[in-house]
Structure formats: structure tokens, C-alpha cells
Amino acid sequence: MIGAGRSPDTRLVYVDGLRALAILAVIGFHADVPFMPGGFVGVDIFFVISGFVITRQIAISAIAGHFSFTEFFARRALRILPPLLLVTALTVLLARFFPLLPAEITELHRSAAATAAMISNYFFSFKFGYFAKHSEIQPLLHTWSLGVEEQYYLIAPAFLVGLVALAKKRDLDALRVLIAACVIAIVVSFAVAWFWPVSLHRLGFYAMWTRIWQFSLGALVGLASLRGLAWPGLARQLATLIGLAAIAVAVIVPGLGNFPTSGAIAATIGTALLLAAGLGQSPALVTRIFSLRALVAIGLVSYSWYLWHWPVLVFARANHLMQIGLPARILAALAALGLAVITYFWLERATRQLRHHNELPRYASRIVAAGLAGSAGLAIVALLSVGGPPRHPISTASLEVNAISYCRGERIGQPPGDINACFVGGGTTPNVIVWGDSHAWMFYRIADAVAKSGDRTAAVFALPGCPPTPSLTVPFTKTCAGQNDTVSRWLSEHPAIDGAILTARWALYNGMPTPSGKEGIVSTLVRRSGPAGASYLELLREGLDRQIAELQARGIKRILIVGPLPELRQSAVDCLARAGLSGSPLERCGTQKVEFQARVSEINRVLTAVARDHAAVRLIDPASLVCNESDCLPADGPDILYIDDNHLSRIGADRFRERFANDLMWVFKGP
């Protein structure tokens, strides 16, 4: 029974309007439009719509007994592959005319092969997080969602047709069996996604099996419509309002944490409500809104717009060293829309006519074979061209900067009870401790040179993600508290220590986004014991006061606190190389001094107050090393001062040692 008096083949126009809602959310998010930080849920909307439309079509044919796998895959191939292969091939070809680095070109070719093979979601799951900063320079990153959809199209027909056959064999209501199976799939898939290991969070985001519940919820609405689902008018209006509100909240309020986020859940349920609200004989609010010509027109070109928008945005960002303003981002999105309109009228409309042509059954197998051959051909060509000469050759010899610490590998993965210090210098007994998060790595070279000049020895403890404040911890670093406790115990066993250097990326732990926007959980310091609710600045002041008191109680007479080092928007080496390719001024790779000062002004006030209140403490400001009157720069002429977006290079470390020689000698040798 088909609800709402509609033919099962009738095109539900409002569904195209919902596609417009989805693509506008995605475009808004990728273009960094204000008030749309959760717009990535547009992909979740697409998944629900696909489950609704495709499952409904399969169920109708399967129950009627005339479903053809060949015809289904032929229609899917005609719908998906021509625009996808076209955009993928042109993206690879055009990339060499933009300032992408050789390694990025290589990665693009590999991702193109994965896209053609319909496995780009798994390719990216082992490479980049969707929200990671490095993902901004992956022109085909957005194809991960197409990989998920294509994989769903591969398993859904066999699953549904098999259940229908089993139901008929046992004389059961096939539609009821399918609905029950959808409910089970929703529960199982959502449970898998919810309890997915945090350590594999990237795979949990990209994988098809953690997304089945979204397709299945749409499928449930589609199957229910075949049983005559048609809510009363008031219920349909209420469902429309709730659905719109849920999606609006998901788009406006970014859902934090691992998938499934609150935003994904809200958008998925909201879309299902909107789809259900549109099923009925009389017009409803949802059909009036989403059947508007403008929205339907956007929905019709949404697939091509989705394909074009991300490569165009990536190329625009790369051409401006990954820094473009909102007007330029919107212009890029509109340019992608223009390409989408051309693709729709030139390619998509033609393939749509083929999908509905009476002769399709006759040529279905050939269409499937042609689609597979085209995909395989593109994948092979993309892989064979990996490592070819770049369009813009550049000498990167001056850009090769190695990590400054030989101890870095030893620091990662050490259990809390088995942390070994890196000893540097010329003596045998450690006299100075360098204690901090990953910024302490920068002091391996500095401490070694200073210690050797005075026949002294330093112990360097670099604990990634752990500021040197034992009374505080960081929620996302499970071993942070234990690691700092181990360092404290080590100190009690080495009474010869009389100097200490405390360093950290202090601005990382304030719960605010970093300039580079790197993927990760918000890094807010918390008190290990006692009442909660204190601000970061209060916790920082308390933690440092306690730390200094403990160090002084152990006989440490001189304590040097290293203030915040300016953070960059992206890796210095990558940005400088891109500047060389595009001819852009190197200053664009830095950050404005006023922005840096605004980010750290309150932190500097706390550090200054701590140094003022403790006679044994000095504070130094490394910003003077890299900042002039207006900008903080990653390089000084040919000398690159950073290895990434927040750590000094070897050259930068040497410059630091020269600039603050007196303070360093004070820590190591005393007055």
C-alpha cells in the first residue's frame, strides 16, 4: 500500500528541496560562513535522504518481484560516476597549476585512485581527520561521503532482496519484515558507532558501518510510507517545526567530540521528521517550504555543486597561502556553483534521460561494465602518475628543517611509571631540570649547549600535552597526571638539582581554538582535586604557585619560566614552500602581532604575577625572538625559525639561546 495516494514512482519534489538544505549547510561550513560551525551535518542529511529514496525504490521492485541488480547498478553508475570521474580527473589535472607541494600532489593522486575505487572514506581514515588542519589542502577529501554511499548501494540491494525472498518463502509480510530489519539495523549500527573505540575515532567517522543507522532511519520512513504513513495535519506541521529546529541547532551549534555527535544525531532525526512530514495528500508546511523553485533548483544541482565546491575552495586557499577572507570564500563557492550548473545541464541531464530510457534493461550490463572500466582506468592512471615532475618546480633544500630533539621518539608512548629523562651537557650528575609539554623538546639543543659551556648536566622531560603543573591535569591526556607525578618523584631522588626551566604551550590549555584549528578535543586544564568551576587563568596561577613552592622546597633556587611562543596558522615549512611556488610575500606565513597578543595577554599577566611574587623566578618572552612591530614571522631571511606551527627549529633554538644567554646561564650557573 502506497501512502498519500501517490504512485511509488512519483518524484517527491520536496526531497530536492531537502537536498538544497543539505548542500547549503555543507557549503556554509566549508566556506567558514559565520554562524554555521556545524554545517558539516549536511552530509548526515544526505545519508538519510539516500536511505529514504534508494530503499524505497528497491523495496517496491523487490516486493513486486521484478527487481534487477544489473538495472539498479546501471542506474546508480549513470547517476554517480560521470560527474564524479569528470571532477576527479579535472581536479588532478588542474592541481599542478596551483601552489600545491610535491607531497600534496602525490597524496592527491592516491586519493583520486581511492575515489575512483569507491574507497576514499577508508583511504582518508588512515591519513587525516576530517577536521584536521592538514585536511584543508586535500582537494578530494569530500569524496569520503560518496565512498560511504557507494558502499551502501552495494550491500543494500542484496540485503533487502534477500529479506523479501526469505519473507515470501515463509509466507510473511515482506514489508513488515523489512521495517523490522531497519529497526534492528538502526539499533545495532548506532550502538557500534556510540561504543566505537576513541583511539579509532577517525575510522568511526568515515566508516560505512557506523553510518548505517542514518541510512536505515531514512529507509524506515520510506518503508513506512509504503504502508500508508500519513500523519494528521497538525502532527505533520509539528514534525516539520521540530525537524527544522533540530537541523538549525545542529548547524548553528557545533557538536563536539567523536561521532556520533549531538549535531549528527539531531540532524539525522530532524531530516527523518521532515521526510515523514512531507508524506500526505494535503500540502504541508514542509512541502510548501521545500518545494519552492529556488530550493528545488539548488537541490537538482546539489550533487555537482558538492563535487566542485571543495576542490575550488582548496585551490583558492592554496593560491593565497591558505588564508582567504569570507568574500573570497563565498566567491569560490559561487564559482563552484557555476561549474555545477554547467555539469548538470551538460552531463547530469543526459545521464538522467538514460536512466529512465526504455532501452536501459537492454544495455544495463554494458553500462555497469563501462562504469567499472572508467573507474579502474582513472585509478590506474592516477597511481601511475604519482611522483611525476611538478608543474612548478621548486628547490626545497633551504626548507628542510629537522626536529630539534633526539629524544622525541623516546618520549612518545612511555608509560607513566617508566619515564626516562634525556640527559644533556658535559657533567655526570644532573643539576638542572627542563620540564614541560612538547615545547620542552625545543630545549634539548639549547640545554645541551649551555650545560656543556659550564660542565653541567640537564635532564629534559618533555611530556606532550602535559603542562608542568602537577596539581592540574588535561582531560584528553589520560596519562598526564601520572607522568607529572613521576617527574616529581624523580626530582625527590635527585637532590643535586638546583635550577629549573618550565615551558609549555600555555595558550593551548585555555579551551579556545588554536590559530591552526588543529583537530582535537578542547584542551582545558582541570584541578585534580578540590572544587571544580575555576577558570583556566585561576587554575594556571594556582598550579604554578604550587609547583614553584614544591621546587623551592626541594632546594631549587633558580626557576626560569618561558612565556608563550607565537603560534602560526599553519606549518611554517609548508607555508614558506607554498609562498615560493606562488610568489606570495613570506609575511603572509606569519601571524599578526596584535592577534597573538590578544590570545596570550591574560596568560602573560598570570605569568608576570607569578614571577613578581616569587624571588627565585624569572620570566622571559620568546615572542621578541620572532616578532617585529607588526608581525610574528616563521623565518628571518633564509633562516626558518619554526618546524611546524608552534615549535622552534634548530636555527630557532640557536637564536633563542643567543637571545636569552644571560637568563639561561643564570639558571645553569647561578648569579
Side-chain angles (χ1 to χ4, degrees), residues 413-482:
Q414 291 288 342
D418 186 28
I419 298 178
N420 297 315
C422 295
F423 293 100
V424 296
T428 57
T429 302
N431 314 105
V432 174
I433 181 174
V434 179
W435 189 354
D437 57 13
S438 62
H439 277 214
W441 281 329
M442 300 186 297
F443 280 85
Y444 182 93
R445 184 178 178 87
I446 297 168
D448 186 45
V450 177
K452 284 179 178 176
S453 67
D455 196 28
R456 304 268 283 179
T457 300
V460 182
F461 287 92
L463 313 176
C466 298
T469 50
S471 62
L472 306 176
T473 188
V474 182
F476 73 91
T477 307
K478 294 182 179 179
T479 62
C480 186

Side-chain angles (χ1 to χ4, degrees), residues 242-472:
I242 295 174
L244 287 173
I247 293 174
V249 170
V251 171
I252 295 172
V253 181
L256 300 177
N258 298 321
F259 182 82
T261 62
S262 57
I265 295 171
T268 300
I269 295 174
T271 305
L273 288 173
L274 292 178
L275 288 169
L279 299 170
Q281 293 181 343
S282 60
L285 180 61
V286 66
T287 53
R288 290 193 183 100
I289 295 174
F290 292 101
S291 295
L292 294 173
R293 288 187 178 182
L295 289 179
V296 172
I298 293 173
L300 290 175
V301 300
S302 60
Y303 178 50
S304 288
W305 197 8
Y306 183 81
L307 289 175
W308 279 114
H309 87 281
W310 187 242
V312 172
L313 278 169
V314 168
F315 291 154
R317 286 192 174 106
N319 218 37
H320 294 81
L321 303 187
M322 308 307 293
Q323 301 173 34
I324 57 175
L326 179 61
R329 296 194 299 269
I330 293 177
L331 183 62
L334 292 176
L337 176 59
L339 292 171
V341 171
I342 295 172
T343 304
Y344 174 78
F345 283 103
W346 175 69
L347 188 60
E348 283 196 75
R349 285 213 307 183
T351 57
R352 174 176 290 180
Q353 292 175 357
L354 289 176
R355 295 204 314 270
H356 299 287
H357 199 280
N358 293 332
E359 293 295 314
L360 178 70
R362 180 180 176 184
Y363 297 101
S365 58
R366 299 181 190 179
I367 292 172
V368 173
L372 292 174
S375 298
L378 178 58
I380 292 171
V381 171
L383 290 176
L384 290 178
S385 57
V386 167
R391 173 76 172 112
H392 299 286
I394 178 175
S395 172
T396 59
S398 62
L399 302 176
E400 294 176 358
V401 184
N402 297 320
I404 62 170
S405 171
Y406 297 102
C407 290
R408 181 165 183 162
E410 300 173 17
R411 296 275 64 77
I412 297 175
Q414 291 288 342
D418 186 28
I419 298 178
N420 297 315
C422 295
F423 293 100
V424 296
T428 57
T429 302
N431 314 105
V432 174
I433 181 174
V434 179
W435 189 354
D437 57 13
S438 62
H439 277 214
W441 281 329
M442 300 186 297
F443 280 85
Y444 182 93
R445 184 178 178 87
I446 297 168
D448 186 45
V450 177
K452 284 179 178 176
S453 67
D455 196 28
R456 304 268 283 179
T457 300
V460 182
F461 287 92
L463 313 176
C466 298
T469 50
S471 62
L472 306 176

